[in-house]
Structures are given as structure tokens and as C-alpha cells.
Amino acid sequence: MANALVILADGFEEIEAVTVIDVLRRAGVEVTSAACTQRHVTGSHQITVEADRLLDQLWSSSEQRFSEPFDVVVLPGGMPGSRNLRDDVRVRELLARQAAAGQWVAAICAGPIALEAAGVLAGRRATAYPGHALPSAKYTEERVVVDGRVVTSRGPGTAIEFALTLVEQLVGSAKARQLREGMIVS
Amino acid sequence: MANALVILADGFEEIEAVTVIDVLRRAGVEVTSAACTQRHVTGSHQITVEADRLLDQLWSSSEQRFSEPFDVVVLPGGMPGSRNLRDDVRVRELLARQAAAGQWVAAICAGPIALEAAGVLAGRRATAYPGHALPSAKYTEERVVVDGRVVTSRGPGTAIEFALTLVEQLVGSAKARQLREGMIVS
């Protein structure tokens, strides 16, 4: 069974975070949501979600590394959530190690600014919410972009497609098709 | 400014609940989320959300009525969330009074079974997640159905369309169009 880490910073975009957790769990992926600062995290539309863990609980400070491997690390967007992710050295470190280990990283909306800051977009095709520059990437306006093991997407309206793309990659396209139908995606 | 009540029962569908709260708040609607039993409510995919209020805090037991009027009462789907809504006498009472006062009621996925139990679907065109019977309604398979002041829809994949339809009715179609574009809905 694949596993995923979804990181929740204060001011995360709620539709994007909840959609990816919900859809990946429907697909049988073991999802851990981890909060940057405190377990109860309030999103950019004043919805408070209780994260499963604190990011610090996953970090071994003696070894200066995350204690668990994840098949994918996912960043929701939202403001100031995306800036908080970008400015968190633990998040950047995790993303860089994840990419260096050949594992998946994924971000939606403004979330890709943290991928950019972690240096994992260099030369890759990627997208983000309009207006967010990704200077090291080959920017495109597709709704969901997969290049190597980097998945990026654009906003709340693309969150289900983004999540189903992760399902396709981590579980398989049969499961993604089944969920698409079961969730009544157009 | 319009106001909305979104009711969260244990086992609610997270995408549906969060999408409607998020999108209505983007539109400037004042949204209260109210929990049936305790403030921290866990959905059908193990995501825990902190509701703004308890349903009992909105109920005046001396007057046997809800203390605040809402322009719309919205029910997310999910199981067992939808059954819990249907079996809660306060929810049925609220829906019946809401409809009798000519105010909006709305439900998505399995949520319409609570509208059916409250008697507010009689003779109306309505939809629900496949397999949920609405014997008093004229059942259709459209993704979002508006009949009078009753809005129904089908599942997580129709949640944004459902929420934008509520925005259209409560705030106006210009705002709905603006959000559709801003959220990058296809």
C-alpha cells in the first residue's frame, strides 16, 4: 500500500487539502496529515482541521532527517499557507530529500512556490495558480502536469483532477477511473 | 449579506462539506458550521473538522425553535453522516421550518435522504447519489437540480457546481462566474 504525507500550514486552502486526503484514502493510500505548528490548523477560509501529526513528530533531530519514508509528499495551496510552507526549512529539506530519493512530490495552486524554493522544479514542466512565478521550471498552463516524479496543479477547481492523477501514478489508472465514476466527476 | 448553516454529523463527506463552506465564504456569505453532537466532527474519510457551533447552541428549547434565521441550510452527504442527519429530529424540524418559511434548503450526495424525511421534497424535482431513493420527489439524474428553493446534487465530483449554484441563487450569477474563473473550475 502506498503512503502519502500532506502538509498543513496555517492558511492552507481547505478544498485542496481535504480533496487530496479524501481521494487518496478512497484509493487505499495510507495518508498522514502533518501540521507545521499545532495540531489544529486553520485554513484560509476559517475552517479548522485537526492534523494527524505534527511535522516535528516525523523529524528525527538527532539524525537530521524524517523518520518515515513517504511515497509522495503533497502540498496544498492557499495564502498564507503556501508562503508558510515555502519558508519552513523542514519542508524544503523534506522536499529536497524526497526528490533526491526518486520519490514523488506534488503541489497545487500556490503550493508549487515551495517546490521552487526547495529546488526540485529545475528544468521540469510545472504549473501553479496564475501569477505565481516558478523561475526554474518550464511553466505551462495545463490543469495538472506530471514531469518525472513531480506533479503540479492550479487551484481548487483542479483539486479532484490533481488527486486522481496521484491515484493514477501511485495506485493505477483502473482505481482512478473507478473513483472518477464513483465520485461523479464530470 | 446572506447567511448559511452547514450541518456536520459524524461521518459527513469531507469534500462536500468543506467545498460548500469554502465557496460560500469566498462569495461573502456568512457561513456557520454546526455539529450535531460534539464540536470536533470526524468525516467518513477520517478527517476531523472543528465546527463553529453546536446545533444545540442554535436551538431555543424554551421556544422549541432555532434562534437564528438562515437564508439556506445545507446538508453534506457521506455515510453514516447522511443517516445521522436524517435521524436527528432537530435537523428534520429545522428543514421543515426552513421550507415552510420560504427559505432555501440544500443537500448533496446522500444528504437528500434527510430532506425526504423532513417532507420538503414532495412533488419537487430532486437528485441524490445513485441508489438513494427519494420517493416523494420527481427524481432526475442532473448534476445539480434547483426546484423552488430546494437545491440537490449528486456527489463529491459535483460539490463545486453545487456550491456555485448556491452562490448564484444567494449572491448572484456575476459572483458565481467570478469564482468559477478564480477557482479555475473547468
Side-chain angles (χ1 to χ4, degrees):
Chain A
M1 192 202 279
N3 67 358
L5 177 67
V6 179
I7 309 182
L8 302 180
D10 297 325
F12 70 94
E13 212 301 319
E14 295 94 333
I15 293 174
E16 295 161 359
V18 163
T19 296
V20 78
I21 298 170
D22 182 317
V23 172
L24 289 177
R25 285 187 178 154
R26 283 172 182 261
V29 174
E30 193 181 319
V31 181
T32 301
S33 62
C36 293
T37 51
Q38 73 294 317
R39 286 277 301 281
H40 290 91
V41 195
T42 301
S44 50
H45 302 91
Q46 289 72 57
I47 302 174
T48 298
V49 168
E50 186 178 336
D52 300 320
R53 306 283 293 274
L54 281 173
L55 203 53
D56 271 345
Q57 294 175 313
L58 304 173
W59 175 262
S60 161
S61 48
S62 60
E63 302 177 60
Q64 284 289 303
R65 64 175 187 81
F66 282 86
S67 45
E68 297 175 24
F70 292 99
D71 295 303
V72 63
V73 174
V74 189
L75 310 180
M79 277 297 173
S82 302
R83 272 202 304 269
N84 289 336
L85 292 172
R86 180 197 64 190
D87 296 343
D88 189 318
V89 64
R90 300 167 303 174
V91 174
R92 294 199 306 271
E93 176 74 5
L94 171 58
L95 293 168
R97 284 170 188 265
Q98 184 79 2
Q103 303 286 34
W104 293 89
V105 296
I108 183 167
C109 193
I113 66 173
L115 300 183
E116 172 74 28
V120 304
L121 291 184
R124 296 217 180 268
R125 294 175 60 254
T127 193
Y129 192 79
H132 291 282
L134 305 173
S136 77
K138 295 174 193 148
Y139 195 89
T140 92
E141 294 191 346
E142 291 156 69
R143 297 172 65 79
V144 185
V145 181
V146 183
D147 186 356
R149 294 199 156 188
V150 179
V151 184
T152 49
S153 187
R154 305 208 82 197
T158 68
I160 288 186
E161 293 152 73
F162 172 64
L164 288 174
T165 300
L166 293 174
V167 170
E168 219 170 86
Q169 302 295 337
L170 295 168
V171 185
S173 49
K175 175 57 81 177
R177 267 197 309 276
Q178 180 200 327
L179 288 180
R180 180 178 288 276
E181 193 171 318
M183 295 169 65
I184 317 195
V185 180
S186 59
Chain B
M1 191 202 280
N3 67 357
L5 177 68
V6 179
I7 308 182
L8 302 179
D10 296 326
F12 70 94
E13 213 299 319
E14 294 94 334
I15 294 173
E16 295 162 359
V18 164
T19 297
V20 78
I21 297 170
D22 183 317
V23 172
L24 289 177
R25 285 186 177 154
R26 283 171 182 261
V29 174
E30 193 182 318
V31 180
T32 301
S33 62
C36 293
T37 50
Q38 74 294 318
R39 285 278 298 284
H40 290 92
V41 195
T42 302
S44 50
H45 302 92
Q46 288 72 57
I47 303 174
T48 298
V49 168
E50 186 178 338
D52 300 319
R53 306 283 293 274
L54 281 173
L55 203 53
D56 271 345
Q57 294 175 312
L58 304 172
W59 175 261
S60 161
S61 48
S62 59
E63 303 177 60
Q64 284 289 302
R65 63 177 187 80
F66 282 86
S67 44
E68 298 175 24
F70 292 98
D71 295 303
V72 63
V73 174
V74 189
L75 310 180
M79 278 296 173
S82 302
R83 271 201 303 269
N84 289 335
L85 292 172
R86 179 197 64 190
D87 296 343
D88 189 318
V89 64
R90 299 167 304 173
V91 174
R92 294 199 305 272
E93 176 74 4
L94 171 57
L95 293 167
R97 284 169 186 264
Q98 185 79 1
Q103 303 285 35
W104 292 89
V105 296
I108 183 168
C109 195
I113 65 173
L115 300 184
E116 172 74 27
V120 304
L121 292 184
R124 296 217 179 268
R125 293 173 63 252
T127 193
Y129 192 79
H132 291 282
L134 305 173
S136 77
K138 293 173 193 149
Y139 194 90
T140 92
E141 294 192 346
E142 291 157 68
R143 296 173 65 79
V144 185
V145 181
V146 183
D147 187 355
R149 295 200 154 186
V150 180
V151 183
T152 50
S153 186
R154 309 209 78 195
T158 68
I160 288 186
E161 293 152 75
F162 172 64
L164 288 174
T165 299
L166 293 174
V167 170
E168 220 170 85
Q169 302 295 334
L170 295 168
V171 185
S173 49
K175 176 57 81 177
R177 266 197 309 277
Q178 180 201 326
L179 288 180
R180 178 178 292 274
E181 194 171 317
M183 296 170 64
I184 317 195
V185 179
S186 60

